[in-house]
Amino acid sequence: MTRPDHEIDAFLEGQLTDEQARVLDDWIAADPANAAAFLHLSRTHQVLTVLGKENLVNRQTEQAIVDAFDMESDLDLLGSLAEMEASAETSQYPVAISPGTGSAKDQDITLSHALSELRWVAGKSANRLLHSKPVITSAVAAVLLIALTLFLVFSGGQDKPITDPLANTPLWDTPPQAHQPVVATLTDSVGAQWRSYDKPVPMPMGAQLVAFERYTLTHGFAEITTQRGAVAILEAPATIELLDGDNALRLHAGKLVGICLTERSKGFVVRTPSMDVIDLGTEFGVHVEGDAVVATVFSGEVELVADDDDIRLALERGQTARLSDQAGSDLTISIEQQVDQGFTQLHQQFAKTVQPLPGTGFGTKINGIDPNWHVVACNDRPFDSPQPLRAIAARGYHAVLPGSDAQWLNWDLSLSPDHPASQLKGSVSFLFRTVIDLPESMDPSQTQIAMHYAADNRLHAIRVNGERIVLEDLSKGGVLIRSTRYASVTEHLVRGENTIDFEVINFQNNEVIDGPGAVSFYLDWKLIGREMKPIDSASGSSGGSRQ
Amino acid sequence: MANQPTKPNDSDARARLAELWHNSQPSVSAYLFASVPNHHDAEDLLGQVAVAVARDFDQYDESQPFVRWAVGIARHRVLNYRRKYAMSKIVFSQETVEALANAVPVEPIRQSDFKAALKLCMGKLQTHARKAVTLRYENDLRPRHIANEMDMTPNAVSILLHRSRKALADCVQDSMEG
């Protein structure tokens, strides 16, 4: 008999119908294993509910709890609880402290925790009392009193503490964890201050933004870049939430300019409360203010989607759409044949020239040789001739990133015995080299290389025109296979050709962890060619400082 | 041979009762909440069972697992409940009530262990699943509201919640067995 998942969910949610109950009943009774599975699932649901409520209780003040009980009998109940707490402190209902089972403080916490749980039960029942018929009220109150009596019985003479070692561990306020998917990176900012969940958060350059976290820019300007290279420039105050994809965000409030100049970033989506703005390869602005949304296009074209997909329209260069979605009124959209002037300064002074660079394997077929890259040295000993690199798809343990099937470059270390590299043992550095061109139109002093990288085993350093650049982010890290890191380089660039070397560390002769001996490297990078400068009129000063 | 019945007014017996009930109450509660579709009624039944356990503790035979004895009391309460409300409320059959009672593990999983395992398992959930579970259980949101928060359809949220609950239950089971 197939497990009735739908019926189980309805049961857990307290929405079981007669027919669903019959189906579920038949399934549980059919097999003891079904009964055991259902019982365990039900308990999991129950404990999840308790954990969620515990967290809420922890957040509430004592006064807030009292406020919830606005019936005299319930206040009496709380009074009884308070007396019990006081009594416990004066050992009327002693909680014996066994040697080695914890400190006196632990015992206090234990009893307090037990009381708070009872408070929650009492509060839950009390809230139900408020909405119940008097006869039921009396019945439940009687049960509560019995429960209180039981508590007195159970707490008296208890010789072991009731401890939950994780009772005070916040489960539900989980801050962004390292394993949460990184969907964007902070790539520039001016005077920016951030908050997340009403708490100030430091956001240094290169900070990684994870899905489903809400970030509020309270001051200044900031630029974030999605994993697929779309650039969003924000002006405070603005609140965004990154979505569980690599090329979308939700703009809850504020102003944003989006720049999507590369093929990989095309399709960048800005969701607002009433309209989605889908990039079709363009530069555009979106402003959310209450129920109103403004979208304007500087170049290219975007698609607007609203009203549960019933409204879809293209917005072209030089056009502005204004959408109003006030409660109780029809949704209205008006189109103007001019760019909204409210974005002009943000776009002109903060938008940048973005020059995509040939990343590893992009434009190369799987197993093909990438003409842009070579391995040129091993432990700083140059090879007689540059070694070609083969483009490979991400392997099972490598980062899988969208945009290309062949995204890693691989160099097989199965060298002939007389090759110098084959004589090395342990940690070995290999130099991956490419040459990029900085257009004459871009000022090197105002240009940065922004990159997401991953390496098997790890990237150790970068050299720009022979100058070695040690970045803290690169010196840390260990094995960087499953996810990318962000780095930015602004030094030693010149107009025209620039030789860029990446020192990739791997382990030779199968001594450590890398199996047959291959060194692999992933890089997605670009040149960003305009320095962010504060807007005088907006910031009130001409200085501003980069974070 | 059964042990001598325990005297309820004995302080050692009270301490023993407190310990046994503390360890077994989550299992009894899980049984009641699985056996009675109306969660409020299950909550009230739990109070009744607690009273009965305290009142009848002197009849408990310590050679038997306490949880089995307590669940037996709960089972009787549920059967009485279903007889009383069979025509007016949704109730499970007697076979199901019995099957669930028999499924309660004789060695109860301590609530603190269950919570600890569940917290660890929560940490293993993928971000979007953890977000959905958090919105459901902490914020007490229904799937359609979670759908708005997470930019998903309500149906997709329901499926996600179902899969997440199943994954968490399996994870807790594995950690207990491991």
Side-chain angles (χ1 to χ4, degrees):
Chain A
M1 185 182 288
T2 307
R3 199 171 83 155
D5 291 336
H6 190 63
E7 285 74 12
I8 291 174
D9 287 343
F11 173 88
L12 297 178
E13 297 294 348
Q15 297 172 341
L16 198 67
T17 65
D18 284 332
E19 178 56 31
Q20 288 174 325
R22 275 191 289 276
V23 173
L24 188 55
D25 196 288
D26 288 346
W27 179 76
I28 295 170
D31 189 334
N34 294 350
F38 179 72
L39 194 65
H40 182 63
L41 196 60
S42 177
R43 183 171 179 188
T44 302
H45 167 78
Q46 209 180 347
V47 176
L48 279 169
T49 304
V50 169
L51 287 172
K53 299 296 182 189
E54 276 182 0
N55 193 50
L56 284 181
V57 169
N58 288 339
R59 288 185 190 176
Q60 291 170 335
T61 63
E62 195 73 13
Q63 186 59 48
I65 297 172
V66 172
D67 288 344
F69 305 158
D70 54 356
M71 290 177 66
E72 189 177 348
S73 59
D74 301 322
L75 288 172
D76 288 342
L77 181 62
L78 276 184
S80 300
L81 288 168
E83 287 174 11
M84 288 166 62
E85 240 172 344
S87 299
E89 288 174 6
T90 57
S91 298
Q92 185 175 347
Y93 303 102
V95 178
I97 303 172
S98 305
T101 59
S103 66
K105 187 179 178 184
D106 290 337
Q107 312 306 318
D108 290 343
I109 291 171
T110 297
L111 185 56
S112 171
H113 177 65
L115 287 169
S116 72
E117 282 195 345
L118 189 55
R119 255 198 210 95
W120 177 74
V121 173
K124 189 173 178 183
S125 294
N127 283 334
R128 286 171 45 214
L129 291 179
L130 295 173
H131 302 93
S132 303
K133 294 176 183 176
V135 61
I136 299 176
T137 300
S138 302
V140 176
V143 169
L144 282 174
L145 287 175
I146 293 168
L148 270 179
T149 306
L150 273 173
F151 183 86
L152 294 175
V153 171
F154 288 178
S155 61
Q158 182 178 313
D159 61 359
K160 285 188 178 179
I162 303 169
T163 53
D164 176 359
L166 295 176
N168 296 318
T169 303
L171 167 67
W172 306 89
D173 271 341
T174 309
Q177 302 290 316
H179 60 266
Q180 287 183 253
V182 173
V183 291
T185 304
L186 180 68
T187 45
D188 213 341
S189 64
V190 175
Q193 294 178 27
W194 294 87
R195 299 180 76 85
S196 181
Y197 296 112
D198 293 329
K199 295 175 184 173
V201 289
M203 294 275 272
M205 286 286 290
Q208 296 185 320
L209 286 74
V210 297
F212 295 125
E213 298 302 329
R214 189 174 291 208
Y215 302 92
T216 297
L217 181 68
T218 59
H219 296 84
F221 300 84
E223 175 198 276
I224 64 171
T225 303
T226 70
Q227 289 290 73
R228 292 182 65 161
V231 175
I233 301 167
L234 297 164
E235 178 180 348
T239 299
I240 60 168
E241 181 182 3
L242 294 155
L243 303 178
D244 192 18
D246 51 18
N247 212 27
L249 62 79
R250 186 184 295 280
L251 180 64
H252 290 277
K255 194 181 289 183
L256 169 154
V257 165
I259 304 171
C260 307
L261 300 180
T262 65
E263 192 60 30
R264 290 187 67 234
S265 64
K266 192 173 177 179
F268 176 52
V269 180
V270 177
R271 300 195 189 282
T272 75
S274 51
M275 178 170 70
D276 290 350
V277 181
I278 303 172
D279 159 76
L280 299 174
T282 187
E283 296 181 32
F284 62 97
V286 183
H287 187 190
V288 176
E289 190 172 26
D291 298 322
V293 180
V294 177
T296 196
V297 178
F298 304 108
S299 65
E301 182 178 325
V302 299
E303 183 179 26
L304 307 180
V305 180
D307 203 18
D308 291 334
D309 287 356
D310 285 347
I311 298 175
R312 282 181 173 268
L313 57 92
L315 197 66
E316 298 177 346
R317 178 179 181 172
Q319 291 184 325
T320 296
R322 299 184 189 280
L323 180 146
S324 177
D325 190 19
Q326 289 182 323
S329 303
D330 289 339
L331 184 147
T332 60
I333 298 180
S334 62
I335 306 295
E336 300 169 5
Q337 300 301 322
Q338 62 180 6
V339 170
D340 185 283
Q341 295 303 307
F343 292 95
T344 306
Q345 283 189 314
L346 184 64
H347 177 244
Q348 289 184 348
Q349 296 198 34
F350 283 81
K352 302 173 180 183
T353 301
V354 179
Q355 174 81 37
L357 295 169
T360 50
F362 291 105
T364 306
K365 291 182 179 177
I366 294 177
N367 292 324
I369 299 298
D370 187 332
N372 296 310
W373 290 84
H374 294 88
V375 175
V376 298
C378 174
N379 277 11
D380 274 341
R381 294 168 62 182
F383 294 142
D384 293 338
S385 61
Q387 306 288 308
L389 285 157
R390 191 165 46 86
I392 59 171
R395 288 184 278 178
Y397 55 90
H398 282 158
V400 177
L401 295 162
S404 173
D405 291 331
Q407 50 193 196
W408 286 74
L409 288 183
N410 187 68
W411 185 47
D412 191 346
L413 291 183
S414 303
L415 301 170
S416 63
D418 58 342
H419 194 288
S422 69
Q423 307 303 315
L424 299 170
K425 295 182 183 298
S427 178
V428 181
S429 161
F430 299 93
L431 226 53
F432 281 59
R433 173 170 293 176
T434 192
V435 177
I436 63 170
D437 186 62
L438 184 66
E440 290 294 320
S441 60
M442 297 177 77
D443 179 356
S445 68
Q446 301 287 303
T447 299
Q448 62 167 312
I449 299 174
M451 62 184 80
H452 285 91
Y453 65 88
D456 181 357
N457 290 129
R458 66 187 175 92
L459 179 62
H460 186 61
I462 298 173
R463 301 179 192 188
V464 178
N465 295 318
E467 299 287 343
R468 195 159 184 262
I469 299 171
V470 178
L471 298 176
E472 186 181 6
D473 186 39
L474 299 184
S475 62
K476 293 179 178 177
V479 179
L480 304 177
I481 297 174
R482 295 183 181 85
S483 62
T484 59
R485 298 282 180 97
Y486 172 81
S488 173
V489 173
T490 59
E491 303 165 81
H492 310 303
L493 290 167
V494 297
R495 283 194 171 88
E497 284 193 351
N498 291 265
T499 300
I500 314 293
D501 294 329
F502 295 84
E503 289 182 22
V504 177
I505 300 290
N506 208 338
F507 302 98
Q508 174 65 309
N509 288 353
N510 305 336
E511 279 191 345
V512 190
I513 58 172
D514 202 36
V519 52
S520 304
F521 182 47
Y522 168 88
L523 182 69
D524 178 25
W525 58 340
K526 63 191 174 185
L527 288 169
I528 300 178
R530 187 185 295 168
E531 188 78 358
M532 291 181 76
K533 297 173 184 174
I535 297 173
D536 292 345
S537 58
S539 65
S541 68
S542 58
S545 61
R546 296 171 66 99
Q547 285 191 330
Chain B
M1 192 173 92
N3 290 354
Q4 196 71 7
T6 311
K7 302 297 182 188
N9 55 355
D10 181 347
S11 61
D12 289 342
R14 287 194 305 169
R16 179 73 177 137
L17 168 60
E19 181 186 0
L20 290 169
W21 178 249
H22 172 67
N23 291 336
S24 300
Q25 186 268 350
S27 295
V28 176
S29 175
Y31 167 68
L32 289 169
F33 276 82
S35 304
V36 179
N38 185 313
H39 297 174
H40 290 164
D41 289 349
E43 206 171 292
D44 291 343
L45 283 174
L46 179 61
Q48 293 175 27
V49 171
V51 171
V53 164
R55 187 190 60 215
D56 299 338
F57 187 57
D58 59 344
Q59 298 169 24
Y60 166 56
D61 175 0
E62 291 227 22
S63 67
Q64 302 299 318
F66 179 83
V67 68
R68 181 63 65 204
W69 179 70
V71 167
I73 292 174
R75 182 175 60 87
H76 280 297
R77 294 280 168 174
V78 175
L79 291 174
N80 286 337
Y81 169 87
R82 69 172 301 283
R83 273 193 291 273
K84 186 175 180 181
Y85 294 108
M87 303 303 291
S88 59
K89 296 185 178 185
I90 294 175
V91 294
F92 285 146
S93 66
Q94 181 173 346
E95 291 75 19
T96 290
V97 171
E98 301 280 4
L100 289 169
N102 292 332
V104 175
V106 176
E107 289 293 328
I109 302 173
R110 290 166 57 93
Q111 188 78 338
S112 57
D113 292 341
F114 202 108
K115 282 183 181 176
L118 196 50
K119 288 177 179 181
L120 288 174
C121 293
M122 277 287 291
K124 295 176 182 175
L125 278 184
Q126 290 187 346
T127 309
H128 64 301
R130 189 165 58 245
K131 175 89 171 182
V133 171
T134 301
L135 290 171
R136 168 63 188 85
Y137 288 98
E138 181 186 341
N139 299 61
D140 202 20
L141 295 185
R142 299 292 133 184
R144 65 189 179 90
H145 296 117
I146 297 173
N148 288 337
E149 287 286 323
M150 296 185 63
D151 197 30
M152 298 170 71
T153 65
N155 192 43
V157 168
S158 294
I159 293 170
L160 179 61
L161 281 174
H162 168 78
R163 292 175 55 200
S164 301
R165 274 193 289 250
K166 174 73 166 50
L168 289 170
D170 290 346
C171 175
V172 169
Q173 190 80 49
D174 290 346
S175 64
M176 293 302 167
E177 292 171 356

